[in-house]
Amino acid sequence: MEGGVDRLSGEDRISSLPEELLCLILDSLTLKDVVRTSVLSSRWRYFWLRVPRLELNISDFPNYDTCVSFLDKFHNGSNLSEFNLNVERHVLGFKDSVFEPCLSRVLKHKIQRFEVVNRMYRIQKIPLTLSVCEALVSIRLHMVRLNDFESLSLPCLKIMHLEHVQFPTNDAVVMLVSCSPVLEELVIILNWTTDDVGDIRVYSKSLKILSLTLFGLTSNVPYGEAVVIDAPRLKYLSLNGCHCRNCKITNMGASIKVDIDVTFDSTDNLWRHRDIVHNFFNNFSCAVEMTIAWGTLWCIQINRDFNPLPKFHDMSRLRVSMPSEATPKLVPSILESCPNLKYLTMELFPYSIEAEKSGPPPAVLPRCLVSSLESVDIESPITRKATELKLVRYFLENSATLKKLALRLDHECTRYKHKPGVLKQLFEIPRRSNLCQFVILKTTH
């Protein structure tokens, strides 16, 4: 049998397959191959219009008119459930404004997954009007300009990704979330300076995952709250890149996981800056798992003697990233805020910090070292003063409940090497916990 045709009987067995199976076959092909099937037979001539998934890259078309004409062929289609448009390079006659009617017509189908990714930063953002979206389950928009919408219903939407989207009003985010009663995942990436957006307010009773990446200063939000979150079912929150001035979380899940990589507006005076840092972390007092990047830890380091972090009594897992030189004093102060911590992961990197090079750690041990800490995982380069080894000694000598300590050494990112026999001496350090297993591993990249 060749090409799906039995040479003995002359029967076209592929064409005789059920329509649902043929659509699955077409769905696994590239767009060009799908269109080429139209020449196989009369049955196949328009069958390619029934594919459930359409993924377009504007670079696949010789000019803009051809792309628009192709999109219009799906105007009367009924099977299209997923649509992806990628704009990665300029094509002849490209006009971003004329895309809007094409995209609006596509949305009128029973689209469940809709994605427009515009990576041509030198052109204006592609305009889009959200209208009839009753079947929409997932939407991702990148470099898109949303036109004004007064009434919108997204009853099935569970996933919403908005990346460098220009909103028609400051209340647009609130409206998009409020008209999505079953929304579970929301990702927002914005630049407060260039994306012309005001404060970010998220009110949702169904939201479980929220990721906010907000670049730029918040000088255009001088009063009130720059970020407000009210999501009682929230289980995971990621805050990245923003210069936090005001952040208020009025409601969130009881056992939330938090990923924090933010800095704070340095235009405020020192005393106000201390209050901002403390109040920011006070939002996460009920977190059970937290990841803190060095940019945020640096702000904590500045304030620790004047306005220490609140207590995270429910936190069992903590992951931090910091310079090796910052560990002697900063690590105990961080641990002091996590009295019931069980699992600690530390990613260290070489970086000179004059203020932290000398002086022993505090004499009073954090509570978690005495009563709860079970596992410590340290990933570190080999440094000139072997600070990573001092940190290992600190945990081995002071952790009463420690069961495992793993030191993962990077032998390539610095030129330093440990003196012969130094690592062997670590195994001879008296351990406060008799159950502690200590291992030295090589990092893998």
Side-chain angles (χ1 to χ4, degrees):
M1 185 172 68
E2 295 180 358
V5 178
D6 192 323
R7 289 184 296 178
L8 296 178
S9 64
E11 181 183 1
D12 182 357
R13 293 190 176 182
I14 291 183
S15 296
S16 64
L17 292 174
E19 181 174 318
E20 295 79 7
L21 185 54
L22 290 178
C23 286
L24 288 176
I25 295 174
L26 292 181
D27 192 40
S28 64
L29 302 177
T30 64
L31 178 61
K32 290 182 179 180
D33 289 336
V34 168
V35 176
R36 285 170 181 166
T37 61
S38 62
V39 301
L40 293 179
S41 67
S42 57
R43 185 188 181 192
W44 288 89
R45 185 175 182 181
Y46 298 107
F47 195 85
W48 62 277
L49 291 172
R50 304 181 189 179
V51 293
R53 181 175 60 91
L54 181 60
E55 184 169 348
L56 297 181
N57 193 319
I58 194 172
S59 61
D60 293 334
F61 299 89
N63 54 60
Y64 169 80
D65 291 334
T66 306
C67 180
V68 173
S69 176
F70 181 84
L71 279 174
D72 283 340
K73 293 182 183 297
F74 286 85
H75 179 50
N76 296 319
S78 59
N79 291 349
L80 196 61
S81 62
E82 180 175 348
F83 175 82
N84 300 327
L85 173 64
N86 294 288
V87 182
E88 296 182 352
R89 72 174 182 85
H90 183 78
V91 297
L92 185 63
F94 181 88
K95 298 177 182 178
D96 54 2
S97 60
V98 191
F99 260 113
E100 199 276 335
C102 297
L103 296 177
S104 297
R105 284 194 292 269
V106 170
L107 274 172
K108 289 181 181 179
H109 298 295
K110 297 296 182 180
I111 296 291
Q112 296 180 8
R113 293 170 178 83
F114 183 81
E115 178 177 305
V116 177
V117 177
N118 174 20
R119 302 193 183 280
M120 293 185 61
Y121 293 101
R122 294 184 180 180
I123 66 172
Q124 294 182 350
K125 297 179 179 180
I126 293 177
L128 175 66
T129 299
L130 294 177
S131 52
V132 182
C133 306
E134 294 182 353
L136 202 60
V137 175
S138 173
I139 185 171
R140 181 193 174 196
L141 304 177
H142 180 94
M143 285 290 287
V144 168
R145 183 178 75 249
L146 286 181
N147 293 329
D148 198 8
F149 49 88
E150 295 182 357
S151 61
L152 178 65
S153 177
L154 303 169
C156 299
L157 190 68
K158 292 186 176 182
I159 301 173
M160 183 190 303
H161 288 208
L162 306 173
E163 305 166 7
H164 298 290
V165 171
Q166 183 177 340
F167 300 106
T169 64
N170 286 342
D171 293 330
V173 173
V174 176
M175 295 175 62
L176 284 172
V177 174
S178 64
C179 68
S180 309
V182 297
L183 186 65
E184 296 182 358
E185 177 180 328
L186 175 62
V187 175
I188 298 178
I189 302 176
L190 290 174
N191 189 318
W192 255 312
T193 304
T194 61
D195 289 333
D196 190 25
V197 64
D199 53 346
I200 301 297
R201 290 171 290 153
V202 177
Y203 307 124
S204 174
K205 295 181 180 180
S206 60
L207 196 64
K208 297 179 180 179
I209 299 173
L210 174 60
S211 176
L212 298 178
T213 302
L214 307 171
F215 300 103
L217 296 175
T218 61
S219 56
N220 60 327
V221 193
Y223 307 104
E225 308 294 344
V227 177
V228 180
I229 300 172
D230 185 346
R233 298 185 63 187
L234 197 63
K235 297 299 181 184
Y236 173 77
L237 173 64
S238 174
L239 295 174
N240 298 286
C242 58
H243 293 261
C244 282
R245 186 170 192 153
N246 294 305
C247 178
K248 184 177 182 181
I249 301 178
T250 60
N251 208 352
M252 63 181 179
S255 301
I256 192 170
K257 299 179 181 180
V258 183
D259 190 336
I260 303 174
D261 184 4
V262 303
T263 54
F264 298 85
D265 195 345
S266 58
T267 59
D268 291 301
N269 61 60
L270 180 60
W271 292 104
R272 174 164 169 75
H273 187 269
R274 294 168 182 169
D275 290 338
I276 289 174
V277 176
H278 181 85
N279 293 339
F280 174 83
F281 277 96
N282 200 44
N283 287 307
F284 312 114
S285 58
C286 63
V288 297
E289 185 174 334
M290 185 176 291
T291 298
I292 310 177
W294 166 238
T296 307
L297 283 175
W298 182 79
C299 298
I300 296 173
Q301 176 195 26
I302 295 175
N303 295 290
R304 69 169 186 258
D305 294 331
F306 304 96
N307 202 350
L309 290 177
K311 293 287 194 272
F312 304 105
H313 292 282
D314 298 329
M315 189 182 301
S316 61
R317 293 181 179 272
L318 175 64
R319 181 181 182 89
V320 294
S321 174
M322 66 175 70
S324 299
E325 291 85 347
T327 58
K329 290 185 177 180
L330 185 54
V331 168
S333 66
I334 295 296
L335 296 181
E336 182 61 34
S337 298
C338 311
N340 299 308
L341 190 67
K342 290 186 177 181
Y343 307 98
L344 173 64
T345 301
M346 304 181 64
E347 181 181 353
L348 307 181
F349 55 89
Y351 183 79
S352 178
I353 302 178
E354 297 294 336
E356 293 295 340
K357 284 187 176 180
S358 60
V364 179
L365 294 177
R367 174 181 160 182
C368 66
L369 289 184
V370 180
S371 61
S372 63
L373 191 62
E374 297 181 1
S375 174
V376 176
D377 196 319
I378 303 173
E379 181 176 329
S380 173
I382 297 176
T383 60
R384 181 169 59 88
K385 290 194 174 183
T387 312
E388 65 280 3
L389 304 187
K390 297 177 184 178
L391 189 61
V392 169
R393 178 182 293 273
Y394 174 77
F395 282 110
L396 290 178
E397 292 180 344
N398 296 301
S399 301
T401 57
L402 197 60
K403 296 181 181 179
K404 183 176 181 179
L405 193 157
L407 175 61
R408 306 176 190 273
L409 289 174
D410 188 341
H411 295 266
E412 299 178 356
C413 74
T414 65
R415 65 180 184 273
Y416 303 114
K417 294 183 179 180
H418 290 131
K419 296 180 180 179
V422 170
L423 293 180
K424 183 179 179 181
Q425 294 176 12
L426 291 178
F427 291 92
E428 300 173 356
I429 295 176
R431 305 175 192 180
R432 186 169 181 182
S433 172
N434 296 327
L435 301 177
C436 181
Q437 175 190 7
F438 174 51
V439 295
I440 298 177
L441 305 170
K442 183 178 180 179
T443 58
T444 57
H445 299 283

